[in-house]
Amino acid sequence: MNVIKKTVLFAALLSIVYSCDNAGNKSSERSLPASENYTKHVDPYIGTGDHGHVFLGANVPFGLVQLGPVNISQGWDWCSGYHISDSTIMGFSHTHLSGTGIGDLGDIAFMPVTGEAKPERGRPDEPQSGMYSLFDRSTEKARPGYYAVHLDRYNIDVELTATERVGFHKYTFPKSSDARIIIDLIHGIGWDAPVDGEIIQENDTVISGYRHSSGWANDQKIYFTAVFSTPIKTFEQQKRPYGNAGRMQVSGQLSFDTNENETIYVKVALSPVGTDNAKKNMEAELGGWDFEQTIANADAAWNRELGKIDFRTGNDRTKRIFYTALYHTMIAPSVFCDVNRDYFGSDRQAHRNASFTNYTTFSLWDTYRAAHPLMTIIHPEKMPDIINTMLTIYKEQGKLPVWHLMANETNCMVGNPGVCVVADAVLKNVSGFDREYAYEALKNSVMLDERGQKWMREYGYIPFDKENESVAKTMEYAIADWSVAQVAKAMGKTDDYQYFKKLSEGYKHYFDPELQFMRGKDSEGKFREPFNPFHSVHRENDYTEGTAWQYTWLVPHDVDGLVELFGSKGAFLKKLDSLFIVNGDMGTEASPDISGLIGQYAHGNEPSHHILYLYTVVGEPARTAEKVREALETMYTDQPAGLCGNEDVGQMSSWYILSALGFYQVEPAGGRYYFGSPIMDEASINAGNGKVFTVTARNNSADNKYIKSVTLNGKPYYEPYIDFKDITAGGMLEFEMSNTK
């Protein structure tokens, strides 16, 4: 049986094929609107509530600087430093994560104050205990590239904007003989802790320094230089020793005399290499003091990137969710080099004048599934730099990135997700990097002995008595091994193809044909007992942020093989149907990441994201349409609690964007985007090289969720997916929608 081949009959089983009046052969020559204001549809507060963990503040697409407020509260819901439930601000820091499940960064924080203010976090029940201020939400404004708020305690208005590497502050003070600006190099976000730092006054308007910290990124250093529009009256530095190596935790206070409503501007440039480079970044990106123009430039930068998809629908709510989602996908990966392309590498060395733009913040366990497949479509100009960054990381640390942050390999989460991203780029014929070297990186990264991989080669799977999270690790490694196998096949490396193809079937060891679940096995081949498919934590944990209900379906690379384990397509579908119905107790230690539940389908966490499309893969597209529409409508809203799980650096939003357009890349690499149920009327995608790919959904509505027929460039189309090469060639994909299955 070959389920995927059977789905070639997908559209043939539908009713009469719709043919448009125009052949569509000129649609690739269309241009996108030049003057559309896309930023007006973005609401940065979406995802700041519940467990979305998104960044709120001022930045430009993929910029090194994310300049925004930090609350005094700490905990899981403050991984980005900000939560909609909080009314405190203790500073405005220049680096943030967005949507992660672990907190870090919060580097180089500035806080304007009046009078005495201790450079401490403070306590919520004692407003004078630190430097924080309360604020009224009604004074807060946020839009792409701009943030503003009034600090009640100090009667100071704060406005922020940014370029790629420079944060721009505008502080409007009351009349004061003791106006101050605190430079805080001590307090980070989440796991972050300072281990060293320095602040130097260079003259009466320039301060420079660095912050060295240890946290999720174990060894992180960021340099800065700050220029003030008003001469500094006094400068004081506070230091406290850290450890026994002469290291210091540092903060500083600058004082000014201010008249009523006097404005002080501050420009803060960052560099991963040194303060001299920070000054070069400042000179190149923000030589002047035109704050309003910088806001306008940031808005224009966001409009250019958001305009890569012209998404047309009469539903304002849907448009707001869509463009906010698109905005979220472009906070990271972020530039991690200077204007001269100097960068700090994984080998702990500064590298000069690189041939590529270096990036960081690769949440790959999340983003390989949808965010990177989306990026290959709408950001082709960035893909060579993204892949060259990953290959350079391989060169410097001996493997492709797993979860890479500020030149640090965190090794967070399981599997080899960077392998999938590089393999996808090779199979999609992305140019600008060495394919043979990429294959070397792919192969060597999956052949290491670390993180349980050696057991894969010895047993064909990872026994639970050898490694914790054994099922999750094996299934993710199998996905990466399949990706390597596909590249080997494409490059004519037959022996390697056979070897890695076999490894990619390691998931089969875990399937219990009696219970129809993936279950942990020990090194003797015995299933773990006792077993409860609802529990995410046992005495030992076989899964990562999930249960057997979710992980049984984590075979996006070999759906045919998974169907065969069930014995028939009917048995497979019966079990898959039950996923969305069954309810059970996940136990007291259940991971909070198992969220956004429909039955036991968990849309709030990434291993589930392909599952809704399995119906289309096996020839039942109507069921995919139903489930996709349900997720689009119930798991995403235009409110602060508008995400059903962590944003995870763009993955949650990327699922929405692709699904709203009507397709999703199920397999980890290769570029087949399977059809679901589009929710727009029409969308034009700038696919690069002057090509525009337009997707139209005719007769679309809440009831008309089923794809009745498909045409590509005016001709009947019978595949259940659209291929990457067809998208990037430009053209027109037309869905005729119906309320009939």
Side-chain angles (χ1 to χ4, degrees), residues 373 420-421 423-429 482-483 486-487 665 667-673 722-725:
C420 301
V421 174
D424 192 40
V426 173
L427 294 173
K428 289 176 176 174
N429 291 314
W482 179 89
S483 301
Q486 301 313 301
V487 175
Q665 182 171 298
E667 295 149 331
R672 296 200 290 194
Y673 295 77
I722 184 72
D723 197 272
F724 176 77
K725 68 178 185 295

Side-chain angles (χ1 to χ4, degrees), residues 72-83:
I72 66 167
S73 303
Q74 294 177 292
W76 194 56
D77 279 332
W78 281 264
C79 286
S80 73
Y82 179 97
H83 194 269

Side-chain angles (χ1 to χ4, degrees), residues 86 110 137 242 289 360 404 531 576 585 588 606 703 729:
D86 207 317
F110 280 53
R137 187 80 55 198
Y242 178 84
W289 291 95
T360 190
H404 223 260
F531 171 71
L576 184 55
D585 181 6
T588 59
E606 282 66 27
D703 291 330

Side-chain angles (χ1 to χ4, degrees), residues 687-724:
N689 299 313
K691 303 294 186 181
V692 175
F693 186 73
T694 299
V695 185
T696 299
R698 298 188 182 275
N699 199 32
N700 200 7
S701 69
D703 291 330
N704 294 352
K705 66 184 71 171
Y706 304 106
I707 298 174
K708 179 181 179 182
S709 61
V710 186
T711 62
L712 178 63
N713 296 329
K715 298 179 180 179
Y717 189 78
Y718 300 109
E719 300 286 4
Y721 56 81
I722 184 72
D723 197 272
F724 176 77

Side-chain angles (χ1 to χ4, degrees), residues 347-610:
D347 56 1
R348 323 316 301 155
Q349 301 295 317
H351 297 264
R352 305 292 178 178
N353 192 27
S355 61
F356 63 97
T357 297
N358 190 61
Y359 284 86
T360 190
T361 313
F362 290 111
S363 180
L364 294 166
W365 184 81
D366 309 292
T367 57
Y368 87 84
R369 306 169 202 268
H372 283 280
L374 174 64
M375 180 173 272
T376 61
I377 295 173
I378 65 173
H379 302 301
E381 76 286 354
K382 296 188 184 302
M383 288 307 302
D385 287 331
I386 295 293
I387 301 304
N388 278 311
T389 295
M390 293 187 175
L391 295 180
T392 300
I393 290 171
Y394 160 72
K395 179 181 179 181
E396 293 171 353
Q397 71 176 24
K399 65 181 179 183
L400 288 168
V402 179
W403 210 123
H404 223 260
L405 179 60
M406 309 294 270
N408 286 258
E409 180 55 77
T410 71
N411 280 314
C412 191
M413 310 310 290
V414 298
N416 271 319
V419 166
C420 301
V421 174
V422 174
D424 192 40
V426 173
L427 294 173
K428 289 176 176 174
N429 291 314
V430 171
S431 61
F433 64 92
D434 186 329
R435 290 168 63 87
E436 284 293 340
Y437 188 67
Y439 183 74
E440 174 194 315
L442 291 168
K443 182 175 179 178
N444 289 345
S445 294
V446 300
M447 292 297 288
L448 296 173
D449 285 342
E450 65 176 30
R451 302 167 63 240
Q453 291 180 91
K454 66 178 181 179
W455 307 122
M456 286 283 291
R457 295 191 295 277
E458 182 173 341
Y459 293 93
Y461 65 99
I462 300 175
F464 68 73
D465 54 342
K466 301 292 186 182
E467 289 275 338
N468 197 25
E469 299 178 297
S470 59
V471 175
K473 288 178 179 178
T474 295
M475 298 187 80
E476 291 286 0
Y477 285 142
I479 290 169
D481 290 334
W482 179 89
S483 301
V484 178
Q486 301 313 301
V487 175
K489 183 179 181 181
M491 297 178 73
K493 302 177 188 296
T494 304
D495 290 344
D496 280 2
Y497 167 72
Q498 295 295 340
Y499 177 77
F500 290 113
K501 179 67 166 58
K502 181 65 176 177
L503 275 181
S504 75
E505 297 174 357
Y507 71 90
K508 295 180 178 179
H509 290 275
Y510 293 128
F511 188 75
D512 181 342
E514 181 179 351
L515 298 181
Q516 294 186 325
F517 285 110
M518 298 290 178
R519 299 177 54 187
K521 271 187 176 179
D522 64 15
S523 51
E524 295 181 355
K526 297 177 181 178
F527 285 120
R528 182 192 291 280
E529 295 291 353
F531 171 71
N532 185 330
F534 292 97
H535 280 197
S536 60
V537 177
H538 304 281
R539 294 189 306 271
E540 303 287 341
N541 189 14
D542 292 331
Y543 311 99
T544 300
E545 299 179 359
T547 71
W549 272 109
Q550 291 105 43
Y551 271 88
T552 294
W553 312 102
L554 190 56
V555 192
H557 60 293
D558 187 16
V559 179
D560 283 345
L562 182 60
V563 171
E564 289 173 357
L565 291 179
F566 281 90
S568 69
K569 174 182 168 180
F572 172 89
L573 289 171
K574 182 178 180 181
K575 185 71 171 185
L576 184 55
D577 287 341
S578 70
L579 172 69
F580 299 96
I581 300 170
V582 67
N583 290 297
D585 181 6
M586 290 187 289
T588 59
E589 298 179 75
S591 168
D593 290 289
I594 307 174
S595 60
L597 293 175
I598 303 174
Q600 288 299 292
Y601 169 76
H603 193 76
N605 213 24
E606 282 66 27
S608 291
H609 276 185
H610 69 288

Side-chain angles (χ1 to χ4, degrees), residues 40 79 87 123 126 155 169 196 199 216 247 302 324 329 334 436 463 481 518 553 604 692 695:
K40 72 180 181 182
C79 286
S87 58
R123 295 178 297 279
E126 294 186 34
N155 193 25
H169 307 237
D196 198 11
I199 304 174
W216 193 11
R247 294 177 170 181
W302 278 111
T324 304
T329 69
S334 51
E436 284 293 340
D481 290 334
M518 298 290 178
W553 312 102
V692 175
V695 185

Side-chain angles (χ1 to χ4, degrees), residues 156-423:
I156 296 172
D157 287 322
V158 175
E159 296 178 74
L160 308 173
T161 188
T163 68
E164 275 195 342
R165 299 170 178 86
V166 186
F168 202 176
H169 307 237
K170 178 183 178 182
Y171 304 144
T172 302
F173 283 89
K175 182 178 176 58
S176 176
S177 60
D178 196 15
R180 295 172 178 250
I181 297 175
I182 297 173
I183 302 176
D184 178 15
L185 306 189
I186 296 176
H187 302 98
I189 296 169
W191 291 10
D192 177 271
V195 298
D196 198 11
E198 183 177 64
I199 304 174
I200 297 173
Q201 182 177 6
E202 298 191 12
N203 57 47
D204 66 351
T205 59
V206 177
I207 298 284
S208 297
Y210 72 88
R211 182 174 190 266
H212 187 187
S213 60
S214 179
W216 193 11
N218 185 54
D219 183 14
Q220 185 215 341
K221 188 177 284 189
I222 193 80
Y223 296 86
F224 75 96
T225 192
V227 182
F228 298 79
S229 63
T230 300
I232 301 162
K233 185 171 72 171
T234 64
F235 168 66
E236 300 174 3
Q237 186 171 192
Q238 295 81 40
K239 294 185 177 182
R240 58 192 189 196
Y242 178 84
N244 300 315
R247 294 177 170 181
M248 292 288 175
Q249 296 180 340
V250 180
S251 65
Q253 292 198 38
L254 294 70
S255 70
F256 305 84
D257 291 326
T258 55
N259 296 315
E260 187 68 24
N261 295 323
E262 182 172 343
T263 295
I264 296 178
Y265 295 94
V266 190
K267 300 185 295 185
V268 184
L270 302 187
S271 167
V273 173
T275 55
D276 286 344
N277 272 23
K279 292 172 184 177
K280 293 176 183 177
N281 294 339
M282 178 95 70
E283 181 181 1
E285 294 186 3
L286 197 57
W289 291 95
D290 194 333
F291 191 78
E292 295 303 320
Q293 185 61 53
T294 307
I295 295 171
N297 292 345
D299 184 78
W302 278 111
N303 261 310
R304 284 193 298 271
E305 296 297 330
L306 294 169
K308 288 181 174 180
I309 304 179
D310 185 50
F311 186 86
R312 295 184 285 282
T313 174
N315 188 318
D316 288 341
R317 172 184 178 272
T318 298
K319 205 164 192 176
R320 192 156 48 248
I321 296 170
F322 182 89
Y323 278 107
T324 304
L326 192 55
Y327 166 78
H328 283 151
T329 69
M330 294 187 281
I331 294 173
S334 51
V335 167
F336 193 61
C337 65
D338 298 315
V339 291
N340 58 7
R341 286 187 166 177
D342 291 354
Y343 74 93
F344 190 75
S346 304
D347 56 1
R348 323 316 301 155
Q349 301 295 317
H351 297 264
R352 305 292 178 178
N353 192 27
S355 61
F356 63 97
T357 297
N358 190 61
Y359 284 86
T360 190
T361 313
F362 290 111
S363 180
L364 294 166
W365 184 81
D366 309 292
T367 57
Y368 87 84
R369 306 169 202 268
H372 283 280
L374 174 64
M375 180 173 272
T376 61
I377 295 173
I378 65 173
H379 302 301
E381 76 286 354
K382 296 188 184 302
M383 288 307 302
D385 287 331
I386 295 293
I387 301 304
N388 278 311
T389 295
M390 293 187 175
L391 295 180
T392 300
I393 290 171
Y394 160 72
K395 179 181 179 181
E396 293 171 353
Q397 71 176 24
K399 65 181 179 183
L400 288 168
V402 179
W403 210 123
H404 223 260
L405 179 60
M406 309 294 270
N408 286 258
E409 180 55 77
T410 71
N411 280 314
C412 191
M413 310 310 290
V414 298
N416 271 319
V419 166
C420 301
V421 174
V422 174

Side-chain angles (χ1 to χ4, degrees), residues 130-150:
M131 58 185 165
Y132 78 86
S133 172
L134 297 176
F135 70 96
D136 188 319
R137 187 80 55 198
S138 66
T139 71
E140 195 178 38
K141 299 176 183 177
R143 62 180 186 267
Y146 177 77
Y147 175 85
V149 71
H150 181 78

